[in-house]
Amino acid sequence: MTDNVQGCTSVAGGRTPGATTPIVVALDYPDPRQALRLLDALDGAQCKLKIGKELFVRGGPQFVQQVARRGFDVFLDLKFHDIPNTVAQACNAAADLGVWMMNVHALGGAKMLEAARNALDKTGGSRPLLVAVTVLTSLDAHDLGEIGLTGTVEENVMRLARLTHAAGLDGVVCSPRETALLRGALGADFYLVTPGIRPSDSAADDQKRTLAPCEALQAGASYLVIGRPITRAPDPMQALRAIQSEIAPLLAR
Ligand code: C5P
């Protein structure tokens, strides 16, 4: 594990040109009011924000729009997985909320992935980024076998990431431990969005295979999704600043 800035030597992964930060804070709060309290201390140059199912169901599309209007890039993490037409319409609706990034499940298949991408292409202008989840990190090889997927988790991740790439999506969500492999196989322009990030001084919580922010960037991550190390810190702003300082030498290169 990299535990100091001396360990930060180079970045292998790309990000949106002109992007100011690779940090995406996961707003995993049960109540939109709690999330808004954190937002009051932040601005969009410091981090991007991920809104997942719990907060979306509680706060609704209005909450997403409210956050986007405050100048934050919003990653809407709803992991759509349905028939192609339904997913395409859902992506359209999400784009209307002004989000920066959204996601679908690669297991929905090539037709669904292409329908989602085509729907966003039709929105014109600077459409939201579209990334796919390959294999949920909660699944192991035994779980995959039960649903009829043979091979190792890594083989399934690679196959689904290639399918996502071929369908013209912008990237995948992946575990930090898969990042180097995917970066090597899929090239510099494919976004790798990695949760499971733990600064060297934080608890792992329920994450089993973590990397430090510098390590993940060096392995080729484009964006780092970080929740509890920031949102549950006694001083979230201080925790965010510490991570920013930790990765600053890498981003300056
Ligand atoms: O608190 P923590 O940093 O573990 O939060 C990580 C965020 O990334 C959570 O919102 C979690 O749901 C999400 N995530 C993950 N692992 C995945 C996909 C998403 O931890 N494979």
Side-chain angles (χ1 to χ4, degrees), residues 26 28 50 77 79 137 173 195-198 207 225-229:
D28 291 327
K50 182 172 87 67
D77 178 20
K79 300 185 183 72
T137 44
V173 181
I197 303 296
R198 286 295 177 270
Q207 297 280 16
V225 176
I226 310 175
R228 287 161 290 180

Side-chain angles (χ1 to χ4, degrees), residues 24 49-53 56 74-82 86-88 90-92 94-95 99-108 112-113 116-117 120 127-134 136 164 169-174 191 193-195 225:
V24 182
L49 299 172
K50 182 172 87 67
I51 296 177
K53 289 187 176 79
F56 182 77
V74 176
F75 172 17
L76 188 61
D77 178 20
L78 298 182
K79 300 185 183 72
F80 297 135
H81 185 176
D82 210 312
T86 301
V87 167
C91 287
N92 239 325
V99 304
W100 156 73
M101 178 183 278
M102 67 180 80
N103 58 3
V104 295
H105 269 285
L107 281 167
M112 190 206 80
L113 294 171
R117 191 213 56 202
L120 292 183
R127 66 163 177 79
L129 294 173
L130 180 63
V131 297
V133 174
T134 55
L136 291 169
T164 302
L169 273 68
D170 301 297
V172 289
V173 181
C174 63
Y191 292 113
V193 180
T194 54
V225 176

Side-chain angles (χ1 to χ4, degrees), residues 24 41 58 88 96 111 122 129 142 168 177 182 191 196 199 229 233:
V24 182
R58 297 226 181 253
D96 286 345
K111 289 194 184 69
K122 282 187 202 140
L129 294 173
H142 174 77
R177 302 289 171 140
L182 294 175
Y191 292 113

